[in-house]
């Protein structure tokens, strides 16, 4: 049975690869981008199966209107994939107010606006699947350089875990996708804060670490499988680096919490 999928940030990276995979499977896809010219080849190849939509996810009203256009055009929205986002790099101290706010406007609030807009439709249908593209940096952090990006993804994690418990009663599933590093445009088209020399040594040490990036195209069949699964997980790590990285971080947390547990209990009164 064909599904209708609304995906943001469809012009490149994960969004582009997944959009092509869904269309190849015969699904209807509403693909959003800031520049619709990037979707011209897909429109020419797949015709009415794809609905390109110009959208700035930072604009709540635009997000609401985009969702309504998709509903009017295809009659339903079975899956929402909140993929649009970018990475602000730099130490926490280096981020300007504007940079910090814009990071959250896109990565967190953009996700929230689309999620809120699609929920009434999915509740009425009594089914749906909301897929939030988070990151392993929404579960554990790197030593330096991605603090604001991680914070925005931590926020998406908290929002989506709560959302999942709220909407399960309506037949709506929520999945957080948590990729490790991938050979994606996000690292080349992001924003770097103005540097403070005091952090140069830490950044240099981090840059010299081995980086094992996954291939974006390898995720496409996995995301198709996720969409087709009747009982999708709340969280799905992507890439071979993800699980060891997160496992180590959580083991360290548990060790610290257990070490200080007597103090924690004492604080209860």
């Amino acid at each position: 049975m064909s599904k209708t999928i609304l995906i943001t940030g469809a012009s490149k990276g994960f969004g582009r690869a997944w959009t092509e995979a869904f269309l190849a499977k015969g699904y209807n896809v509403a693909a959003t981008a800031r520049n619709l010219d990037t979707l011209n080849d897909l429109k020419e190849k797949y015709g009415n199966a794809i609905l390109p939509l110009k959208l700035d996810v930072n604009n709540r009203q635009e997000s609401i209107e985009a969702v309504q256009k998709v509903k009017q055009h295809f009659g339903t929205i079975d899956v929402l994939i909140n993929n649009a986002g970018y990475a602000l790099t730099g130490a926490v101290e280096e981020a300007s107010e504007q940079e910090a706010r814009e990071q959250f406007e896109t990565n967190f609030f953009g996700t929230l606006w689309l999620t809120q807009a699609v929920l009434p439709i999915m509740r009425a249908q009594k089914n749906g699947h909301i897929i939030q593209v988070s990151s392993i940096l929404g579960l554990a952090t790197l030593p330096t350089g991605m603090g604001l990006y991680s914070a925005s993804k931590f926020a998406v994690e908290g929002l989506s875990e709560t959302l999942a418990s709220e909407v399960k009663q309506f037949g709506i599933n929520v999945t957080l996708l948590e990729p490790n590093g991938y050979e994606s445009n996000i690292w080349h088209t992001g924003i770097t804060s103005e540097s403070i020399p005091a952090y140069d040594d830490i950044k240099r040490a981090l840059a010299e670490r081995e980086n094992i990036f996954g291939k974006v195209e390898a995720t496409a069949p996995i995301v198709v499988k996720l969409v087709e699964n009747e009982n999708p997980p709340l969280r799905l790590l992507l890439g071979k680096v993800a699980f060891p990285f997160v496992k180590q971080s959580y083991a360290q947390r548990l060790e610290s919490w257990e070490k200080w547990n007597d103090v924690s209990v004492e604080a209860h009164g």
Side-chain angles (χ1 to χ4, degrees):
M1 183 177 177
S2 181
K3 292 178 181 286
T4 294
I5 297 166
L6 168 57
I7 179 169
T8 64
S11 62
K12 56 192 175 184
F14 287 137
R16 172 73 184 208
W18 300 345
T19 296
E20 291 189 52
F22 291 133
L23 290 168
K25 287 283 289 186
Y27 293 160
N28 296 320
V29 180
T32 82
R34 293 195 178 198
N35 180 7
L36 293 185
D37 290 342
T38 59
L39 301 173
N40 285 344
D41 59 326
L42 295 182
K43 182 63 178 175
E44 183 176 345
K45 182 176 181 180
Y46 291 103
N48 291 332
I50 180 172
L51 174 64
L53 290 171
K54 185 176 177 62
L55 175 62
D56 176 0
V57 297
N58 294 357
N59 188 313
R60 186 173 188 269
Q61 187 58 38
E62 275 190 30
S63 298
I64 294 170
E65 292 172 0
V67 166
Q68 292 305 314
K69 288 177 183 177
V70 178
K71 176 67 166 63
Q72 292 167 7
H73 186 83
F74 288 122
T76 184
I77 301 175
D78 300 298
V79 181
L80 167 65
I81 302 180
N82 277 312
N83 169 66
Y86 73 94
L88 173 67
T89 58
V92 170
E93 185 182 350
E94 293 171 336
S96 69
E97 179 181 354
Q98 182 177 351
E99 288 171 339
R101 291 185 183 280
E102 289 179 350
Q103 180 75 114
F104 271 79
E105 283 292 341
T106 297
N107 291 7
F108 176 75
F109 285 105
T111 294
L112 174 60
W113 304 149
L114 266 297
T115 299
Q116 288 181 331
V118 82
L119 280 172
I121 295 170
M122 291 184 172
R123 282 194 291 104
Q125 296 170 170
K126 294 183 172 56
N127 67 78
H129 191 182
I130 297 173
I131 299 174
Q132 319 283 44
V133 180
S134 181
S135 168
I136 59 168
L137 297 183
L139 296 171
T141 66
L142 289 173
T144 188
M146 303 291 291
L148 271 296
Y149 176 76
S150 288
S152 71
K153 294 301 186 179
F154 266 74
V156 170
E157 293 277 336
L159 173 79
S160 303
E161 184 172 310
T162 304
L163 174 70
S165 63
E166 292 174 346
V167 301
K168 192 70 175 178
Q169 61 181 317
F170 307 125
I172 302 170
N173 292 306
V174 177
T175 298
L176 283 151
L177 284 180
E178 292 143 342
N180 55 218
Y182 275 82
E183 297 169 353
S184 172
N185 299 75
I186 190 172
W187 310 117
H188 307 296
T189 59
I191 296 173
T192 301
S193 298
E194 185 175 347
S195 181
I196 296 174
Y199 295 100
D200 288 351
D201 288 344
I202 300 175
K203 292 179 186 176
R204 191 177 301 111
L206 184 64
E208 290 172 355
R209 293 175 58 186
E210 181 181 9
N211 290 319
I212 304 174
F213 289 101
K215 298 186 181 300
V216 169
E217 59 270 21
T219 66
I222 304 305
V223 174
V224 170
K225 286 182 182 178
L226 176 66
V227 165
E228 293 176 344
N229 194 294
E230 293 183 1
N231 188 29
L234 173 60
R235 288 183 167 87
L236 178 62
L237 300 172
L238 296 180
K240 68 180 183 181
V241 179
F243 181 66
F245 176 75
V246 174
K247 183 178 181 181
Q248 180 184 28
S249 174
Y250 274 70
Q252 292 170 345
R253 294 184 194 190
L254 287 169
E255 181 182 1
S256 177
W257 288 330
E258 186 172 7
K259 180 180 179 180
W260 285 85
N261 187 52
D262 289 345
V263 178
S264 301
V265 172
E266 185 180 349
H268 189 77

